[in-house]
mmCIF file of all heavy atoms in Angstrom:
data_model
loop_
_atom_site.group_PDB
_atom_site.id
_atom_site.type_symbol
_atom_site.label_atom_id
_atom_site.label_comp_id
_atom_site.label_asym_id
_atom_site.label_seq_id
_atom_site.Cartn_x
_atom_site.Cartn_y
_atom_site.Cartn_z
ATOM 1 N N GLN A 169 -18.201 -88.694 12.237
ATOM 2 C CA GLN A 169 -17.971 -87.287 12.509
ATOM 3 C C GLN A 169 -17.098 -87.158 13.751
ATOM 4 O O GLN A 169 -17.283 -87.872 14.724
ATOM 5 C CB GLN A 169 -19.289 -86.560 12.735
ATOM 6 C CG GLN A 169 -19.144 -85.067 12.923
ATOM 7 C CD GLN A 169 -20.475 -84.361 13.028
ATOM 8 O OE1 GLN A 169 -21.504 -84.980 12.841
ATOM 9 N NE2 GLN A 169 -20.446 -83.089 13.314
ATOM 10 N N VAL A 170 -16.172 -86.223 13.683
ATOM 11 C CA VAL A 170 -15.262 -86.006 14.801
ATOM 12 C C VAL A 170 -16.000 -85.306 15.930
ATOM 13 O O VAL A 170 -16.750 -84.358 15.699
ATOM 14 C CB VAL A 170 -14.068 -85.147 14.359
ATOM 15 C CG1 VAL A 170 -13.187 -84.801 15.553
ATOM 16 C CG2 VAL A 170 -13.267 -85.862 13.281
ATOM 17 N N GLN A 171 -15.788 -85.762 17.142
ATOM 18 C CA GLN A 171 -16.342 -85.090 18.319
ATOM 19 C C GLN A 171 -15.209 -84.476 19.126
ATOM 20 O O GLN A 171 -14.169 -85.122 19.332
ATOM 21 C CB GLN A 171 -17.125 -86.077 19.175
ATOM 22 C CG GLN A 171 -18.409 -86.564 18.525
ATOM 23 C CD GLN A 171 -19.249 -87.387 19.468
ATOM 24 O OE1 GLN A 171 -18.744 -87.989 20.399
ATOM 25 N NE2 GLN A 171 -20.552 -87.405 19.231
ATOM 26 N N LEU A 172 -15.438 -83.250 19.565
ATOM 27 C CA LEU A 172 -14.469 -82.532 20.379
ATOM 28 C C LEU A 172 -15.154 -82.134 21.677
ATOM 29 O O LEU A 172 -16.196 -81.475 21.646
ATOM 30 C CB LEU A 172 -13.973 -81.280 19.648
ATOM 31 C CG LEU A 172 -13.333 -81.494 18.279
ATOM 32 C CD1 LEU A 172 -13.057 -80.148 17.615
ATOM 33 C CD2 LEU A 172 -12.055 -82.302 18.395
ATOM 34 N N ILE A 173 -14.587 -82.528 22.787
ATOM 35 C CA ILE A 173 -15.145 -82.226 24.101
ATOM 36 C C ILE A 173 -14.182 -81.298 24.827
ATOM 37 O O ILE A 173 -13.024 -81.665 25.058
ATOM 38 C CB ILE A 173 -15.381 -83.480 24.929
ATOM 39 C CG1 ILE A 173 -16.258 -84.470 24.157
ATOM 40 C CG2 ILE A 173 -16.026 -83.114 26.269
ATOM 41 C CD1 ILE A 173 -17.641 -83.957 23.828
ATOM 42 N N GLU A 174 -14.673 -80.108 25.162
ATOM 43 C CA GLU A 174 -13.851 -79.139 25.874
ATOM 44 C C GLU A 174 -14.193 -79.145 27.360
ATOM 45 O O GLU A 174 -15.336 -79.407 27.749
ATOM 46 C CB GLU A 174 -14.073 -77.735 25.315
ATOM 47 C CG GLU A 174 -13.648 -77.585 23.868
ATOM 48 C CD GLU A 174 -14.613 -76.744 23.083
ATOM 49 O OE1 GLU A 174 -15.755 -76.576 23.534
ATOM 50 O OE2 GLU A 174 -14.243 -76.272 22.001
ATOM 51 N N SER A 175 -13.206 -78.810 28.158
ATOM 52 C CA SER A 175 -13.414 -78.699 29.602
ATOM 53 C C SER A 175 -12.388 -77.741 30.170
ATOM 54 O O SER A 175 -11.416 -77.375 29.493
ATOM 55 C CB SER A 175 -13.291 -80.072 30.273
ATOM 56 O OG SER A 175 -11.997 -80.607 30.063
ATOM 57 N N GLY A 176 -12.604 -77.344 31.429
ATOM 58 C CA GLY A 176 -11.608 -76.537 32.132
ATOM 59 C C GLY A 176 -11.928 -75.075 32.281
ATOM 60 O O GLY A 176 -11.176 -74.346 32.927
ATOM 61 N N GLY A 177 -13.024 -74.618 31.712
ATOM 62 C CA GLY A 177 -13.373 -73.215 31.864
ATOM 63 C C GLY A 177 -13.857 -72.903 33.275
ATOM 64 O O GLY A 177 -14.043 -73.801 34.092
ATOM 65 N N GLY A 178 -14.032 -71.607 33.533
ATOM 66 C CA GLY A 178 -14.531 -71.218 34.846
ATOM 67 C C GLY A 178 -14.255 -69.761 35.128
ATOM 68 O O GLY A 178 -13.913 -68.991 34.240
ATOM 69 N N LEU A 179 -14.407 -69.420 36.406
ATOM 70 C CA LEU A 179 -14.186 -68.061 36.875
ATOM 71 C C LEU A 179 -12.823 -67.993 37.561
ATOM 72 O O LEU A 179 -12.516 -68.833 38.411
ATOM 73 C CB LEU A 179 -15.290 -67.660 37.856
ATOM 74 C CG LEU A 179 -15.129 -66.330 38.586
ATOM 75 C CD1 LEU A 179 -15.180 -65.168 37.598
ATOM 76 C CD2 LEU A 179 -16.217 -66.185 39.651
ATOM 77 N N VAL A 180 -12.037 -67.002 37.207
ATOM 78 C CA VAL A 180 -10.714 -66.840 37.788
ATOM 79 C C VAL A 180 -10.436 -65.360 37.978
ATOM 80 O O VAL A 180 -10.949 -64.518 37.222
ATOM 81 C CB VAL A 180 -9.641 -67.494 36.887
ATOM 82 C CG1 VAL A 180 -9.556 -66.813 35.544
ATOM 83 C CG2 VAL A 180 -8.282 -67.538 37.572
ATOM 84 N N GLN A 181 -9.639 -65.034 38.978
ATOM 85 C CA GLN A 181 -9.283 -63.642 39.228
ATOM 86 C C GLN A 181 -8.190 -63.183 38.261
ATOM 87 O O GLN A 181 -7.408 -64.004 37.770
ATOM 88 C CB GLN A 181 -8.806 -63.473 40.666
ATOM 89 C CG GLN A 181 -9.892 -63.685 41.699
ATOM 90 C CD GLN A 181 -9.415 -63.359 43.105
ATOM 91 O OE1 GLN A 181 -8.219 -63.284 43.374
ATOM 92 N NE2 GLN A 181 -10.358 -63.161 44.017
ATOM 93 N N PRO A 182 -8.120 -61.897 38.002
ATOM 94 C CA PRO A 182 -7.029 -61.383 37.162
ATOM 95 C C PRO A 182 -5.673 -61.818 37.717
ATOM 96 O O PRO A 182 -5.454 -61.800 38.936
ATOM 97 C CB PRO A 182 -7.208 -59.871 37.245
ATOM 98 C CG PRO A 182 -8.672 -59.695 37.495
ATOM 99 C CD PRO A 182 -9.062 -60.839 38.384
ATOM 100 N N GLY A 183 -4.799 -62.230 36.805
ATOM 101 C CA GLY A 183 -3.490 -62.735 37.197
ATOM 102 C C GLY A 183 -3.460 -64.228 37.437
ATOM 103 O O GLY A 183 -2.379 -64.820 37.584
ATOM 104 N N GLY A 184 -4.615 -64.853 37.456
ATOM 105 C CA GLY A 184 -4.695 -66.289 37.705
ATOM 106 C C GLY A 184 -4.465 -67.115 36.451
ATOM 107 O O GLY A 184 -4.157 -66.585 35.381
ATOM 108 N N SER A 185 -4.617 -68.423 36.626
ATOM 109 C CA SER A 185 -4.365 -69.371 35.528
ATOM 110 C C SER A 185 -5.535 -70.337 35.374
ATOM 111 O O SER A 185 -6.233 -70.647 36.345
ATOM 112 C CB SER A 185 -3.092 -70.180 35.807
ATOM 113 O OG SER A 185 -1.960 -69.350 35.875
ATOM 114 N N LEU A 186 -5.699 -70.811 34.164
ATOM 115 C CA LEU A 186 -6.653 -71.872 33.845
ATOM 116 C C LEU A 186 -6.045 -72.731 32.753
ATOM 117 O O LEU A 186 -5.247 -72.249 31.953
ATOM 118 C CB LEU A 186 -7.983 -71.309 33.336
ATOM 119 C CG LEU A 186 -9.027 -70.815 34.334
ATOM 120 C CD1 LEU A 186 -10.223 -70.247 33.590
ATOM 121 C CD2 LEU A 186 -9.460 -71.936 35.282
ATOM 122 N N ARG A 187 -6.459 -73.980 32.734
ATOM 123 C CA ARG A 187 -6.031 -74.879 31.660
ATOM 124 C C ARG A 187 -7.270 -75.461 31.010
ATOM 125 O O ARG A 187 -8.058 -76.160 31.668
ATOM 126 C CB ARG A 187 -5.140 -75.987 32.200
ATOM 127 C CG ARG A 187 -4.538 -76.888 31.119
ATOM 128 C CD ARG A 187 -3.603 -77.883 31.731
ATOM 129 N NE ARG A 187 -3.009 -78.807 30.792
ATOM 130 C CZ ARG A 187 -1.686 -78.888 30.585
ATOM 131 N NH1 ARG A 187 -0.862 -78.101 31.256
ATOM 132 N NH2 ARG A 187 -1.200 -79.753 29.706
ATOM 133 N N LEU A 188 -7.437 -75.176 29.739
ATOM 134 C CA LEU A 188 -8.532 -75.743 28.969
ATOM 135 C C LEU A 188 -8.052 -77.013 28.280
ATOM 136 O O LEU A 188 -6.899 -77.097 27.869
ATOM 137 C CB LEU A 188 -9.022 -74.753 27.919
ATOM 138 C CG LEU A 188 -9.412 -73.356 28.409
ATOM 139 C CD1 LEU A 188 -9.918 -72.524 27.249
ATOM 140 C CD2 LEU A 188 -10.424 -73.434 29.520
ATOM 141 N N SER A 189 -8.969 -77.961 28.155
ATOM 142 C CA SER A 189 -8.618 -79.209 27.498
ATOM 143 C C SER A 189 -9.638 -79.520 26.401
ATOM 144 O O SER A 189 -10.833 -79.312 26.592
ATOM 145 C CB SER A 189 -8.578 -80.348 28.512
ATOM 146 O OG SER A 189 -8.116 -81.545 27.901
ATOM 147 N N CYS A 190 -9.140 -80.008 25.289
ATOM 148 C CA CYS A 190 -9.983 -80.434 24.172
ATOM 149 C C CYS A 190 -9.630 -81.884 23.870
ATOM 150 O O CYS A 190 -8.495 -82.183 23.490
ATOM 151 C CB CYS A 190 -9.717 -79.560 22.951
ATOM 152 S SG CYS A 190 -10.588 -80.070 21.460
ATOM 153 N N THR A 191 -10.611 -82.763 24.061
ATOM 154 C CA THR A 191 -10.400 -84.188 23.806
ATOM 155 C C THR A 191 -11.104 -84.586 22.530
ATOM 156 O O THR A 191 -12.313 -84.352 22.381
ATOM 157 C CB THR A 191 -10.927 -85.031 24.981
ATOM 158 O OG1 THR A 191 -10.269 -84.616 26.184
ATOM 159 C CG2 THR A 191 -10.638 -86.505 24.745
ATOM 160 N N ALA A 192 -10.340 -85.171 21.615
ATOM 161 C CA ALA A 192 -10.893 -85.591 20.319
ATOM 162 C C ALA A 192 -11.288 -87.061 20.350
ATOM 163 O O ALA A 192 -10.686 -87.864 21.069
ATOM 164 C CB ALA A 192 -9.867 -85.349 19.227
ATOM 165 N N SER A 193 -12.295 -87.401 19.550
ATOM 166 C CA SER A 193 -12.788 -88.782 19.510
ATOM 167 C C SER A 193 -11.930 -89.675 18.608
ATOM 168 O O SER A 193 -12.141 -90.880 18.568
ATOM 169 C CB SER A 193 -14.238 -88.807 19.033
ATOM 170 O OG SER A 193 -14.346 -88.221 17.741
ATOM 171 N N VAL A 194 -10.976 -89.048 17.882
ATOM 172 C CA VAL A 194 -10.090 -89.805 17.010
ATOM 173 C C VAL A 194 -8.659 -89.343 17.240
ATOM 174 O O VAL A 194 -8.420 -88.348 17.936
ATOM 175 C CB VAL A 194 -10.474 -89.626 15.526
ATOM 176 C CG1 VAL A 194 -11.875 -90.155 15.271
ATOM 177 C CG2 VAL A 194 -10.353 -88.174 15.104
ATOM 178 N N SER A 195 -7.735 -90.048 16.637
ATOM 179 C CA SER A 195 -6.332 -89.697 16.783
ATOM 180 C C SER A 195 -6.051 -88.284 16.277
ATOM 181 O O SER A 195 -6.597 -87.850 15.255
ATOM 182 C CB SER A 195 -5.468 -90.686 15.997
ATOM 183 O OG SER A 195 -4.135 -90.231 15.908
ATOM 184 N N LEU A 196 -5.182 -87.573 17.001
ATOM 185 C CA LEU A 196 -4.814 -86.226 16.588
ATOM 186 C C LEU A 196 -4.099 -86.221 15.242
ATOM 187 O O LEU A 196 -4.071 -85.203 14.549
ATOM 188 C CB LEU A 196 -3.919 -85.562 17.638
ATOM 189 C CG LEU A 196 -4.521 -85.405 19.037
ATOM 190 C CD1 LEU A 196 -3.583 -84.574 19.911
ATOM 191 C CD2 LEU A 196 -5.904 -84.818 19.003
ATOM 192 N N PHE A 197 -3.538 -87.355 14.859
ATOM 193 C CA PHE A 197 -2.848 -87.434 13.581
ATOM 194 C C PHE A 197 -3.819 -87.387 12.400
ATOM 195 O O PHE A 197 -3.396 -87.294 11.252
ATOM 196 C CB PHE A 197 -1.990 -88.703 13.520
ATOM 197 C CG PHE A 197 -0.839 -88.676 14.471
ATOM 198 C CD1 PHE A 197 -0.836 -89.467 15.606
ATOM 199 C CD2 PHE A 197 0.251 -87.842 14.252
ATOM 200 C CE1 PHE A 197 0.231 -89.444 16.496
ATOM 201 C CE2 PHE A 197 1.323 -87.806 15.128
ATOM 202 C CZ PHE A 197 1.302 -88.612 16.255
ATOM 203 N N SER A 198 -5.122 -87.417 12.704
ATOM 204 C CA SER A 198 -6.145 -87.297 11.660
ATOM 205 C C SER A 198 -6.285 -85.863 11.162
ATOM 206 O O SER A 198 -6.911 -85.632 10.128
ATOM 207 C CB SER A 198 -7.498 -87.765 12.208
ATOM 208 O OG SER A 198 -7.434 -89.087 12.681
ATOM 209 N N PHE A 199 -5.711 -84.918 11.909
ATOM 210 C CA PHE A 199 -5.966 -83.510 11.637
ATOM 211 C C PHE A 199 -4.752 -82.824 11.028
ATOM 212 O O PHE A 199 -3.619 -83.116 11.371
ATOM 213 C CB PHE A 199 -6.341 -82.793 12.928
ATOM 214 C CG PHE A 199 -7.412 -83.485 13.717
ATOM 215 C CD1 PHE A 199 -7.241 -83.717 15.068
ATOM 216 C CD2 PHE A 199 -8.585 -83.914 13.116
ATOM 217 C CE1 PHE A 199 -8.212 -84.360 15.815
ATOM 218 C CE2 PHE A 199 -9.563 -84.561 13.844
ATOM 219 C CZ PHE A 199 -9.368 -84.794 15.189
ATOM 220 N N ASN A 200 -5.031 -81.884 10.140
ATOM 221 C CA ASN A 200 -3.961 -81.068 9.573
ATOM 222 C C ASN A 200 -3.502 -79.997 10.553
ATOM 223 O O ASN A 200 -2.355 -79.556 10.504
ATOM 224 C CB ASN A 200 -4.420 -80.401 8.278
ATOM 225 C CG ASN A 200 -4.708 -81.413 7.195
ATOM 226 O OD1 ASN A 200 -4.124 -82.491 7.163
ATOM 227 N ND2 ASN A 200 -5.622 -81.088 6.292
ATOM 228 N N ALA A 201 -4.415 -79.585 11.402
ATOM 229 C CA ALA A 201 -4.086 -78.568 12.399
ATOM 230 C C ALA A 201 -5.140 -78.591 13.498
ATOM 231 O O ALA A 201 -6.262 -79.059 13.288
ATOM 232 C CB ALA A 201 -4.038 -77.171 11.776
#
């Protein structure tokens, strides 16, 4: 089974930036989208 681990969330002020990351347990080429 594929595992997806997300990170990068949090509290930010309006106008700010965040970067979320999703790490897959298998190659991204395994996915159609």
Side-chain angles (χ1 to χ4, degrees):
Q169 184 175 353
V170 174
Q171 291 188 334
L172 302 173
I173 305 298
E174 297 140 341
S175 61
L179 173 65
V180 64
Q181 293 186 342
S185 298
L186 278 177
R187 186 176 178 119
L188 306 182
S189 185
C190 175
T191 303
S193 59
V194 298
S195 169
L196 300 187
F197 292 108
S198 303
F199 310 131
N200 295 331

